[in-house]
Amino acid sequence: MTKKFFNFCLLVLITILICVLVTPTFANIPERTIIAQGGESQIVDSQKLYESGRFAEAVQILQQAIQGYQRQGDSLKQAVALSNLSLAYQQLGDWEKAQLAITKSWDLQNNNSKNLAVFAQTLDIQGRLHFLTGKSELALTTWKQTEDIYTRLGDNNGITLARLYQAQALRNQGFNQQAIKQLEQVNQTLNSQDDSLAKAGVLLSLGDTLENVGELEKSRLALEASLAIYQRLKSPENIALTLLSLGNNARIQQKKSQAIAFYQQAFNISPLPLTKVKARLNHLNLLIAEKQLAAAQVLIPEIQSLLSPLPPSRPSIYAHINLAHSLGSLNNTPTSQIAQLLAKSIQQARSLKDIRAEAYALGNLGGLYEKTQQIAEAISLTQQALILAQSSNAPEITYLWQWQLGRLFKAQGNFTGAIAAYDATVETLESLRTDLVVVNQDIQFNFRDNVEPVYRESVALLLQNAGNKPDIQTLDKARTRIEALQLAELDNFFREACLQGQRVILDQIVDQENPNTAILYPIILPEQLQVIVKIPQQPLRYFTNNKSQVDVERTLAQLREYILEPDRTEEAQTLAQEVYNWLIKPIASDLANSKVNTLVFVLDGELKNTPLPALYDGEKYLVEKYAIAVSLGLQLLAPKPISESPLQVIAAGLVEPPPNFSRFPPLPGIKLEFDLIAQTGASTKKLLDKDFTIINLEKNVNSLPFNILHLATHGQFSSRPEDTFILANDGYINVLEFDKLLRSQSATNSQILELLVLSACETATGDNRATLGLAGAAVKAGARSTLASLWHINDQSTAVLIGEFYNQLVNNKVTKAEALRRAQVKLLTKYPNYNHPGYWAAYTLVGNWL
């Protein structure tokens, strides 16, 4: 492999890693051409065309080269050209021709003396084909083979690229942390070496991967290290690409002025017009997102002048589509101007025979017609786009057009077609589940805009079409879809597939092992609140409240506000009774007749932050009649009751916050809390104040037998992982670090973590997805349940409640949900100072209630 070729590979690699907003996601792996010894002119020419995104032209030149080499009887160069041809066909989405070309290359190499370097590079391209056709595991195996060959050849550059590819394959399977580990190992190997494009490229890839999992500070450091090397090497295009990544990192951290400065620097330093366009488009999208519309308008003419002279290529096509999307967001651009941009994109894609790019352009034009209510034209364009996307194996584009088609059919009144289209969309999203959380930097992926609505709209459509009496199959489909949304939300929060391993269906537990439990699935739709109910030994049922999403969210927000104000008890009870009437009253008699004593809620939207124990029937609070738990969905990890094993507790807490964290008040009640836990007879290891450090906690977690981890310290849970933390004596433990700590425990200890207790933490105010952090940290690491609070509570009342909770678990052998219920009722009935719901209703048990 020549140095020139290796530099080209790295340039392509990092170019692909740079974010161009509102562009379809493609595999975040470097495409590589193979240059035969001597650098044949046709191969070099095809490489230049390929590098500029002119893939169809590259195909033509390579086909001519193959015929020439065949006439000359040069099988090695013919094999090289065939491998490169496969690569070009991959970019065009023609998988059949791509595989045929690579197969012919193999045949030529196997039938003649094998050149190991060419053989390894052909393997690289075969791995890429596996990867792009959804065979990530096979791609990983293939790239490990290439690493072995490069090792035999002593080709360090080849080894580096092979490991980079393997890291991408790991990411695509949802194994972000393994990918990071792989990249860190490569970086460590290169660290002692002189500056090189390889060294800088690995750091850039590492920085982008760390950003992908939310480790933004580590990402920034890696990107800055990469930038420094590129600057010393005086590589202006690579400097510009790294500046773009730094801009994206700053944007995610809400450092908007820094992000704009990075984009401006990238624009100024790049010698390539296309990179300048990317920088300006990122800048434009940021301004539009921040509603700085006047500044955005100033950039548009410049972007148009930069785009105009660009020759047709896939990157320029996506830049046109990107600009069209931005202009549509401004709402003051004539539709005809946007349509012209998209029509030009379609024309260029067809001239290049780029099926994937044509699919994306056609679908966007269909979306424009959807906005202007030209439904028939929109359907026709969307169907064309969908056929092309499916033929080019592009599920990340396919689901967008399936979803668009569903919306269009619904607008047309074709509910059967709409339901079928939404079903197909959800099926595609499920196949993309790991890809959604490792989506590469070619798209600014917004879960709330691009995925969550699919599930909600599909459920609304199912129930709306079913009328007043949906059948069991429809109800089951609706709740399964809401569960899939819950899991997708959790994956999106951690940017990693979370709930792995064997799970059981909740219905089986209710009908067979826990026949006193009912499961409720409230679903907030735009115009209605729907509730699906599973009562033991009975089929699913369903009821509707004609309350709009706006009304529901307003009532829930007001309930939470009033319940925290002691002088507004009556108003809080009135609102709590209204919510009770929505969720419980229609089935109250059925629950009583079935002797139900536990309610498990699979919550949606704003309901996730609602204090369910405080719901009120006019005489009693809900907690006085039922134990209450929250589940993430229909499935549950290993439903073993906690009473079957003796309790072994690691209890870590901070009475006094560290000196540098004076904004947090002392928590003197923690000593009483720990004393009360020990008094129950539970085996307890205490880590208090100076003993509660990150290292000490990790040491005890990895060395002691325990099934409960109890953390009494300040903390916050948010829908942003970077804002989700607990406080130790030596600083914050971020939720991602906490996840690693718990997973290290599960790797060294066969005992399951039954319960994570977070007794002084709170969910972020106004964040209806904050419970993702609360539940996810434990669930993702394999813990059965989490007990935490929706808001911070007086620590003396917390001590009493927690002490009684452990007392019930140890001495009365009840379920976790029932232990919590009894502890809450004790504060309500036995402690006049703490009987207000603000003291006891915040506590939520998430996960296994047994």
Side-chain angles (χ1 to χ4, degrees):
M1 184 191 297
T2 66
K3 183 177 180 182
K4 179 181 176 184
F5 165 64
F6 183 72
N7 291 349
F8 164 70
C9 288
L10 281 171
L11 180 62
V12 175
L13 164 66
I14 60 182
T15 302
I16 293 171
L17 290 172
I18 303 305
C19 176
V20 180
L21 303 184
V22 201
T23 304
T25 173
F26 292 102
N28 188 7
I29 57 176
E31 302 94 336
R32 61 182 346 198
T33 53
I34 304 174
I35 300 178
Q37 191 170 9
E40 292 291 319
S41 61
Q42 286 177 305
I43 299 292
V44 174
D45 289 344
S46 68
Q47 175 192 332
K48 291 176 181 176
L49 289 168
Y50 184 96
E51 188 177 350
S52 64
R54 296 158 67 183
F55 306 118
E57 293 172 70
V59 165
Q60 292 177 353
I61 288 185
L62 286 165
Q63 287 173 333
Q64 293 169 10
I66 290 164
Q67 292 173 0
Y69 295 143
Q70 188 174 17
R71 287 194 297 269
Q72 297 167 18
D74 193 330
S75 59
L76 180 62
K77 289 179 181 176
Q78 189 181 348
V80 166
L82 280 164
S83 294
N84 289 337
L85 181 63
S86 174
L87 196 58
Y89 276 133
Q90 288 174 32
Q91 279 287 16
L92 293 170
D94 195 331
W95 311 116
E96 187 175 339
K97 288 181 179 177
Q99 185 58 62
L100 183 61
I102 206 77
T103 300
K104 288 181 178 178
S105 179
W106 287 132
D107 290 342
L108 285 168
Q109 292 181 64
N110 287 331
N111 293 335
N112 298 281
S113 58
K114 191 183 299 180
N115 182 307
L116 271 184
V118 171
F119 185 76
Q121 293 163 18
T122 306
L123 263 179
D124 284 340
I125 295 172
Q126 177 71 76
R128 186 177 187 277
L129 181 58
H130 289 323
F131 185 93
L132 292 177
T133 52
K135 303 167 186 171
S136 294
E137 291 184 13
L138 198 52
L140 181 61
T141 301
T142 303
W143 286 328
K144 285 179 178 177
Q145 289 178 304
T146 65
E147 181 186 353
D148 291 341
I149 295 174
Y150 287 132
T151 302
R152 286 164 55 193
L153 292 170
D155 184 344
N156 291 327
N157 288 340
I159 293 169
T160 298
L161 281 177
R163 289 179 178 173
L164 281 174
Y165 300 159
Q166 291 170 42
Q168 177 58 46
L170 288 166
R171 281 179 60 185
N172 201 57
Q173 294 175 66
F175 302 130
N176 278 314
Q177 298 302 332
Q178 288 186 37
I180 289 169
K181 184 177 180 181
Q182 175 93 327
L183 289 167
E184 286 175 337
Q185 287 174 348
V186 178
N187 181 49
Q188 191 172 10
T189 301
L190 296 174
N191 194 41
S192 59
Q193 299 180 15
D194 293 337
D195 287 346
S196 66
L197 291 175
K199 190 174 181 179
V202 168
L203 282 164
L204 178 51
S205 182
L206 177 60
D208 284 328
T209 309
L210 287 164
E211 179 187 299
N212 201 45
V213 299
E215 296 196 34
L216 298 177
E217 190 58 24
K218 289 182 180 178
S219 166
R220 181 184 65 81
L221 293 172
L223 293 173
E224 288 178 348
S226 174
L227 178 64
I229 295 173
Y230 282 136
Q231 288 172 332
R232 290 194 292 271
L233 293 172
K234 296 182 172 56
S235 177
E237 180 56 17
N238 287 322
I239 292 170
L241 295 172
T242 311
L243 287 167
L244 279 176
S245 275
L246 281 164
N248 299 332
N249 181 285
R251 177 176 178 175
I252 294 170
Q253 294 194 66
Q254 308 297 314
K255 298 175 181 177
K256 300 175 184 66
S257 60
Q258 283 187 28
I260 289 172
F262 281 127
Y263 294 148
Q264 184 63 50
Q265 290 177 58
F267 176 84
N268 291 338
I269 201 168
S270 174
L272 299 183
L274 188 59
T275 304
K276 289 181 179 291
V277 169
K278 290 180 180 182
R280 281 294 188 253
L281 285 169
N282 281 17
H283 188 173
L284 175 65
N285 278 284
L286 177 55
L287 292 174
I288 292 173
E290 294 302 307
K291 309 297 183 187
Q292 297 180 30
L293 303 186
Q297 292 286 359
V298 172
L299 284 181
I300 291 170
E302 183 182 17
I303 295 172
Q304 290 171 325
S305 66
L306 287 167
L307 275 175
S308 182
L310 288 178
S313 68
R314 178 180 287 178
S316 70
I317 290 170
Y318 287 126
H320 280 87
I321 297 171
N322 192 331
L323 178 59
H325 193 278
S326 295
L327 293 174
S329 301
L330 290 172
N331 296 322
N332 62 354
T333 307
T335 302
S336 58
Q337 184 180 343
I338 302 171
Q340 286 173 4
L341 272 172
L342 294 172
K344 183 177 181 180
S345 302
I346 294 168
Q347 182 184 11
Q348 288 189 348
R350 286 174 176 167
S351 72
L352 296 173
K353 298 180 181 178
D354 191 331
I355 297 172
R356 196 183 282 240
E358 184 183 352
Y360 195 59
L362 279 167
N364 273 279
L365 185 57
L368 180 65
Y369 283 132
E370 180 188 15
K371 284 185 178 179
T372 58
Q373 296 297 301
Q374 296 169 269
I375 303 300
E377 294 87 346
I379 288 175
S380 175
L381 287 164
T382 305
Q383 287 175 327
Q384 293 175 56
L386 182 55
I387 290 169
L388 292 175
Q390 289 172 324
S391 70
S392 61
N393 192 38
E396 70 287 338
I397 306 177
T398 297
Y399 98 86
L400 290 173
W401 308 147
Q402 288 169 330
W403 178 23
Q404 188 163 288
L405 198 58
R407 297 195 305 269
L408 290 165
F409 281 149
K410 183 183 177 185
Q412 198 181 49
N414 178 2
F415 286 93
T416 302
I419 289 172
Y422 270 100
D423 286 351
T425 310
V426 171
E427 185 176 344
T428 303
L429 280 174
E430 290 297 295
S431 74
L432 272 171
R433 183 177 166 202
T434 55
D435 294 336
L436 292 178
V437 296
V438 295
V439 66
N440 82 16
Q441 300 298 331
D442 286 334
I443 185 172
Q444 179 63 27
F445 182 73
N446 187 319
F447 182 87
R448 288 183 172 176
D449 291 345
N450 294 347
V451 173
E452 185 175 342
V454 173
Y455 290 92
R456 295 198 183 286
E457 291 167 13
S458 66
V459 169
L461 186 63
L462 281 170
L463 297 177
Q464 179 184 350
N465 188 61
N468 295 326
K469 292 186 178 181
D471 57 31
I472 301 300
Q473 289 75 20
T474 300
L475 292 178
D476 188 52
K477 191 174 180 180
R479 67 169 185 167
T480 302
R481 201 147 286 178
I482 285 296
E483 181 221 19
L485 172 58
Q486 298 258 0
L487 297 183
E489 282 185 319
L490 199 62
D491 287 349
N492 178 250
F493 176 82
F494 280 105
R495 291 145 195 199
E496 190 166 3
C498 295
L499 290 179
Q500 305 296 331
Q502 188 170 358
R503 300 184 288 274
V504 297
I505 304 300
L506 294 188
D507 285 15
Q508 295 175 4
I509 302 170
V510 168
D511 283 339
Q512 299 169 17
E513 301 173 36
N514 200 229
N516 301 112
T517 299
I519 312 170
L520 289 84
Y521 310 85
I523 304 168
I524 302 173
L525 300 176
E527 300 303 326
Q528 289 182 323
L529 174 64
Q530 313 269 12
V531 185
I532 299 173
V533 182
K534 169 61 182 176
I535 294 176
Q537 310 301 329
Q538 295 183 25
L540 293 175
R541 66 180 67 186
Y542 148 93
F543 57 90
T544 300
N545 298 275
N546 291 318
K547 288 286 181 182
S548 71
Q549 181 175 352
V550 173
D551 289 339
V552 168
E553 290 179 350
R554 184 188 302 117
T555 300
L556 295 175
Q558 204 167 41
L559 169 60
R560 176 158 169 161
E561 178 186 341
Y562 287 175
I563 213 165
L564 295 174
E565 299 179 23
D567 59 346
R568 307 195 78 159
T569 300
E570 289 187 11
E571 293 111 307
Q573 285 181 339
T574 299
L575 292 169
Q577 187 168 359
E578 183 177 358
V579 180
Y580 174 91
N581 291 342
W582 297 344
L583 303 181
I584 308 297
K585 187 176 180 181
I587 54 167
S589 59
D590 298 307
L591 295 174
N593 292 337
S594 297
K595 296 182 172 55
V596 167
N597 59 23
T598 302
L599 301 179
V600 177
F601 291 85
V602 181
L603 295 176
D604 185 28
E606 203 65 46
L607 283 163
K608 292 175 182 174
N609 285 347
T610 301
L612 297 172
L615 299 189
Y616 193 64
D617 68 1
E619 296 180 359
K620 290 184 175 182
Y621 289 107
L622 190 64
V623 75
E624 295 182 80
K625 297 193 291 185
Y626 300 102
I628 299 162
V630 173
S631 175
L632 294 175
L634 297 169
Q635 299 173 334
L636 187 73
L637 289 163
K640 178 183 174 184
I642 196 169
S643 59
E644 291 184 6
S645 304
L647 299 192
Q648 296 174 297
V649 184
I650 294 179
L654 284 184
V655 175
E656 293 292 337
N660 295 334
F661 296 87
S662 56
R663 70 185 180 93
F664 295 109
L667 298 170
I670 286 177
K671 289 182 178 178
L672 173 61
E673 183 176 324
F674 283 15
D675 288 343
L676 290 172
I677 294 172
Q679 288 172 20
T680 65
S683 171
T684 307
K685 170 66 175 182
K686 297 180 187 178
L687 302 174
L688 200 59
D689 287 338
K690 62 180 176 56
D691 293 327
F692 178 19
T693 64
I694 299 170
I695 293 175
N696 207 20
L697 178 63
E698 185 173 11
K699 176 184 173 183
N700 280 272
V701 160
N702 288 325
S703 61
L704 294 179
F706 72 101
N707 52 12
I708 297 180
L709 180 58
H710 184 108
L711 301 175
T713 180
H714 290 287
Q716 175 179 281
F717 291 93
S718 164
S719 59
R720 288 169 54 87
E722 53 268 35
D723 295 334
T724 301
F725 63 87
I726 57 174
L727 183 63
N729 195 57
D730 51 350
Y732 291 138
I733 304 178
N734 177 269
V735 68
L736 298 171
E737 297 170 326
F738 186 62
D739 169 52
K740 288 180 184 176
L741 185 149
L742 291 181
R743 282 202 285 183
S744 69
Q745 175 270 336
S746 60
T748 58
N749 191 337
S750 60
Q751 192 167 10
I752 295 291
L753 177 58
E754 294 286 349
L755 179 63
L756 171 66
V757 180
L758 302 159
S759 74
C761 301
E762 60 184 316
T763 56
T765 304
D767 186 343
N768 68 8
R769 297 176 79 217
T771 48
L772 292 173
L774 184 157
V779 172
K780 183 165 171 283
R784 289 198 169 101
S785 27
T786 307
L787 174 63
S789 56
L790 297 175
W791 57 81
H792 181 60
I793 305 158
N794 174 291
D795 66 321
Q796 294 295 328
S797 64
T798 294
V800 174
L801 186 142
I802 292 295
E804 183 60 23
F805 172 73
Y806 278 93
N807 178 53
Q808 293 294 333
L809 285 181
V810 174
N811 297 313
N812 293 324
K813 302 296 184 182
V814 297
T815 66
K816 287 174 272 194
E818 177 62 17
L820 177 58
R821 186 193 77 82
R822 293 184 185 186
Q824 290 171 314
V825 170
K826 185 169 184 177
L827 258 66
L828 171 63
T829 58
K830 304 294 186 183
Y831 288 82
N833 291 340
Y834 301 141
N835 64 4
H836 186 271
Y839 289 107
W840 49 262
Y843 290 94
T844 301
L845 181 69
V846 181
N848 182 2
W849 66 91
L850 299 176

